[in-house]
């Protein structure tokens, strides 16, 4: 019988009446089962979490940081063990899975260090009228209370840790709802925090399908802040249900790589291929379209094609570049985008091949704006190249996207690169590099339908705390 994983609730490991079996996407192997929590189970998680918050909040930053440092040590110690499960559960290359765990340890440690540097400020009046000169404000940051962290399948440990650590260091308590495909990895992360000795109730987990318990866990009045990473439709739904409560939404993207005619094409192609096809394109920050000036398009497409042909295809344990997608629905969706591009006349530069949920990497040239691939997020290994006549056209097409996560600009003309960066409606622009989150102390955010709020350790702490000021008059 495969292992029955349990939720961490009020410092204990708990089953529920029902459970969900988890299978490896690449092999079909049964990896174990996780509880499908009921509404009553969720009520108990929230009740005990709220009860734990005053004592947790009362600790000093240094005391809370000590727990996080311990958790970071355990993550490093167990990186291979957790990475092996994560790799199977979400079909991510083994080395990348271990790196995800190590990167999580680094974020946890950085959050601990950032927390101990948290400071308030004192403001003096007098800027508006003479009478206000007597006024002094002491401005401090306070935790919000209970943070609900909801993470996506593609980084089930890292995009949980990057929410949990800044929330905890600030004095919040956390309930983590991991993705169902990725929930075993989320529960292994919970084991790490439990071993680090966190007091009961400070960190809990909620497993169950989002489609079943999602609305309940979000709408619940016990929750003070919702920190969500996932798809735009689910994010929009959560945004509506959050009401007056603050939220962080990190959602989908359609990141453009804009290649100008003076660019180093070899460097651009390398970054584009790494950026587009890493983890089979299942990254919010993946390069999801190339906008290239037509003078250099033939040459760029040929260099990209040569690199795509060298990508390895196989299973996660072999560290293949391209592995099966997370589920059949995802593979069907990508196939639909490929078929639409073919039907509308895009030039396919590599073989189109699918075996089960494994989609071989596809490069399309001469994609036009009437094709779905120009606008939709595949979350799979397919890259469209759109040829443009001018820099202005590249900016216009990039900005026509409903998304606004990131973009890249490849050029050796730095003043022009900065001017383009200013005009792009995205959270971050990378110059001569692929789109990517991080480093993890940098702000990470999306404009338009790519999100609301800013991540990045310091920014996450700010988001999950509120300002409280105490004002008094001096003589
Ligand atoms: P998803 O389907 O939106 O799921 C994300 C999380 O939300 C999962 O834990 C899911 O649980 C849960 N969920 C589903 N329905 C819910 C509901 N009604 N209420 C509350 N929670 C609910 O996204 P995904 O397929 O895991 O991830 C891929 C998407 O995430 C892509 O669009 C990608 O661009 C985006 N993403 C964005 C970022 C970023 O930082 N901008 C980072 C990573 C991924 P279940 O698994 O149980 O359904
Ligand atoms: O999938 C979304 C992640 O935030 C992307 O992170 O750029 O480090 O792969 P990454």
């Amino acid at each position: 019988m495969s292992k029955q994983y349990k939720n961490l609730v009020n410092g204990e490991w708990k089953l529920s009446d029902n459970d969900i079996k988890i299978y490896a996407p690449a092999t079909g192997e049964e990896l174990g089962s996780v509880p499908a929590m009921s509404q009553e189970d969720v009520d108990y998680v929230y009740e005990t979490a709220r009860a734990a918050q005053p004592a947790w909040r009362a600790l000093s930053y240094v005391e809370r940081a000590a727990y996080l440092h311990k958790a970071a040590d355990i993550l490093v110690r167990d990186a291979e063990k957790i990475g092996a499960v994560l790799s199977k559960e979400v079909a991510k290359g083994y080395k990348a899975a271990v790196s995800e765990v190590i990167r999580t340890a680094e974020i946890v440690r950085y959050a601990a260090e950032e927390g101990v540097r948290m400071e308030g400020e004192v403001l003096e009046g007098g800027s508006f009228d003479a009478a206000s000169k007597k006024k002094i404000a002491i401005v401090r940051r306070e935790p919000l209370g209970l943070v609900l962290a909801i993470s996506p399948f593609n980084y089930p440990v890292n995009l949980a840790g990057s929410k949990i650590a800044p929330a905890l260091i600030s004095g919040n308590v956390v309930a983590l709802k991991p993705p169902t495909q990725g929930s075993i990895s989320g529960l292994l992360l919970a084991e790490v925090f439990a071993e680090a000795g966190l007091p009961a109730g400070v960190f809990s987990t909620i497993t169950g399908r989002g489609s079943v318990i999602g609305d309940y866990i979000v709408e619940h009045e016990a929750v003070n802040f919702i920190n969500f990473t996932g798809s735009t439709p689910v994010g929009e739904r959560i945004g509506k249900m959050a009401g007056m409560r603050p939220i962080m939404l990190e959602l989908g993207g359609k990141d453009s790589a804009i290649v100008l005619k003076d660019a180093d094409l070899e460097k651009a192609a390398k970054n584009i291929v790494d950026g587009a096809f890493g983890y089979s394109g299942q990254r919010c920050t993946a390069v999801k379209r190339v906008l290239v000036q037509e003078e250099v398009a033939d040459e760029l497409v040929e260099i990209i094609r040569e690199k795509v042909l060298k990508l390895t295809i196989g299973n996660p344990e072999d560290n293949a570049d391209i592995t099966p997608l997370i589920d059949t629905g995802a593979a069907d969706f990508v196939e639909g985008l490929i078929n639409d591009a073919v039907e509308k006349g895009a030039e396919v530069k590599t073989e189109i091949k699918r075996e089960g949920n494994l989609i071989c990497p596809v490069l399309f040239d001469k994609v036009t704006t009437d094709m779905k691939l120009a606008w939709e997020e595949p979350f799979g290994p397919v890259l469209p190249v759109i040829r443009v006549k001018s820099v202005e056209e590249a900016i216009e097409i990039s900005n026509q996207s409903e998304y606004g996560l990131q973009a890249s600009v490849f050029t050796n003309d730095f003043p022009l690169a900065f001017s383009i960066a200013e005009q792009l409606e995205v959270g971050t622009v990378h110059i001569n590099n692929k789109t990517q989150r991080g480093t993890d102390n940098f702000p990470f955010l999306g404009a338009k339908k790519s999100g609301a709020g800013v991540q990045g350790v310091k920014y996450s702490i700010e988001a999950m705390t509120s300002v409280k000021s105490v004002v008094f008059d001096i003589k």
Side-chain angles (χ1 to χ4, degrees):
M1 206 176 116
S2 66
K3 183 164 177 183
Q4 267 203 317
Y5 290 86
K6 297 175 184 171
N7 273 302
L8 178 61
V9 181
N10 199 26
E12 294 177 353
W13 294 99
K14 285 203 175 300
L15 292 169
S16 292
D17 290 342
N18 297 304
D19 53 32
I20 303 169
K21 284 198 165 62
I22 307 294
Y23 299 91
T27 60
E29 178 192 352
E30 189 179 322
L31 300 176
S33 60
V34 298
M37 275 193 160
S38 64
Q39 294 187 356
E40 292 71 32
D41 293 337
V42 172
D43 289 344
Y44 185 64
V45 169
Y46 286 167
E47 185 191 323
T48 52
R50 290 287 293 251
Q53 207 247 336
W56 179 246
R57 176 192 172 148
L59 296 181
S60 68
Y61 280 109
V62 176
E63 287 169 309
R64 290 198 292 265
Y67 290 103
L68 295 195
H69 282 298
K70 185 86 195 293
D73 291 345
I74 298 166
L75 276 166
V76 172
R77 185 196 71 195
D78 290 355
E80 292 188 352
K81 189 182 92 185
I82 299 171
V85 175
L86 195 168
S87 167
K88 283 186 178 187
E89 194 180 14
V90 300
K92 179 178 281 197
Y94 171 72
K95 281 189 193 157
V98 175
S99 301
E100 175 175 340
V101 180
I102 297 288
R103 180 180 178 186
T104 309
E106 288 165 356
I107 292 177
V108 171
R109 212 179 287 293
Y110 195 98
E113 290 168 3
E114 194 68 25
V116 298
R117 287 194 287 268
M118 286 273 290
E119 285 171 351
E121 58 183 346
V122 173
L123 301 183
E124 295 184 48
S127 304
F128 293 91
D129 57 37
S132 69
K133 192 168 183 315
K134 291 197 299 184
K135 292 200 174 294
I136 299 277
I138 297 175
V139 183
R140 303 166 73 202
R141 298 201 81 89
E142 291 192 333
L144 297 173
L146 171 58
V147 170
L148 170 62
I150 305 179
S151 49
F153 81 82
N154 64 339
Y155 278 95
V157 168
N158 188 269
L159 283 172
S162 63
K163 297 170 173 49
I164 296 162
L168 289 179
I169 192 67
S170 330
N172 297 289
V173 292
V174 176
L176 169 68
K177 150 74 181 96
T180 296
Q181 192 70 43
S183 49
I184 296 178
S185 304
L187 295 178
L188 294 183
L189 181 65
E191 282 181 12
V192 169
F193 280 98
E195 188 185 335
L198 281 180
V202 167
F203 174 52
S204 311
T205 56
I206 297 172
T207 55
R209 295 202 183 279
S211 53
V212 177
I213 53 161
D215 288 0
Y216 190 74
I217 63 174
V218 167
E219 275 184 321
H220 205 293
E221 59 180 20
V223 174
N224 301 105
F225 185 90
I226 302 149
N227 194 332
F228 172 82
T229 302
S231 62
T232 294
V234 175
E236 284 182 318
R237 185 179 177 85
I238 289 174
K240 285 183 189 128
M241 285 193 298
M244 296 284 285
R245 292 170 297 172
I247 48 172
M248 173 104 72
L249 301 174
E250 297 294 350
L251 311 176
K254 187 70 185 174
D255 295 0
S256 309
I258 297 175
V259 184
L260 304 192
K261 57 190 174 196
D262 72 324
D264 175 339
L265 296 184
E266 179 63 37
K267 182 176 182 180
K270 180 175 183 337
N271 274 282
I272 286 168
V273 173
D274 289 350
F277 295 101
Y279 187 31
S280 311
Q282 296 173 114
R283 295 167 50 244
C284 58
T285 49
V287 172
K288 291 183 181 130
R289 53 190 178 159
V290 176
L291 302 169
V292 57
Q293 285 194 294
E294 55 191 8
E295 293 91 329
V296 293
D298 287 343
E299 196 182 342
L300 180 75
V301 168
E302 188 46 35
I303 307 174
I304 293 177
R305 193 180 81 89
E306 283 166 14
K307 293 185 188 303
V308 172
L309 293 176
K310 288 186 186 144
L311 292 171
T312 57
I313 300 166
N315 275 337
E317 64 269 23
D318 310 323
N319 290 305
D321 298 312
I322 305 295
T323 50
L325 296 184
I326 195 71
D327 57 32
T328 304
D332 289 348
F333 180 71
V334 175
E335 190 178 1
L337 294 179
I338 291 171
N339 291 342
D340 177 75
V342 170
E343 279 161 25
K344 290 178 180 157
E347 224 173 73
V348 64
K349 307 300 284 186
T350 54
E351 190 187 2
I352 296 174
K353 197 170 152 197
R354 173 177 174 180
E355 282 168 20
N357 297 339
L358 180 70
I359 302 229
C360 294
V362 186
L363 173 66
F364 279 112
D365 190 8
K366 299 183 183 164
V367 167
T368 48
T369 52
D370 59 328
M371 300 175 192
K372 289 181 183 170
L373 208 42
W375 307 110
E376 294 194 26
E377 178 188 46
F379 232 58
V382 52
L383 179 65
V385 176
I386 302 172
R387 296 173 174 228
V388 293
K389 291 190 169 42
S390 63
V391 169
E392 291 71 27
E393 191 188 359
I395 296 169
E396 190 184 333
I397 293 175
S398 188
N399 284 347
Q400 275 169 4
S401 171
E402 62 178 342
Y403 296 111
L405 191 56
Q406 297 201 336
S408 286
V409 181
F410 292 91
T411 176
N412 285 312
D413 184 341
F414 271 73
L416 179 57
F418 279 98
S419 158
I420 294 170
E422 263 187 44
Q423 295 172 68
L424 290 171
E425 295 164 2
V426 294
T428 307
V429 178
H430 294 267
I431 296 173
N432 291 327
N433 216 317
K434 58 181 175 288
T435 43
Q436 60 197 289
R437 177 164 52 109
T439 68
D440 291 312
N441 60 324
F442 290 177
F444 180 58
L445 67 154
K448 303 194 278 189
K449 289 203 171 189
S450 288
V454 185
Q455 278 192 87
V457 178
K458 179 179 77 166
Y459 304 94
S460 297
I461 290 175
E462 284 174 3
M464 291 186 278
T465 50
S466 63
V467 164
K468 163 80 78 65
S469 61
V470 177
V471 180
F472 60 95
D473 289 358
I474 52 172
K475 285 204 173 175

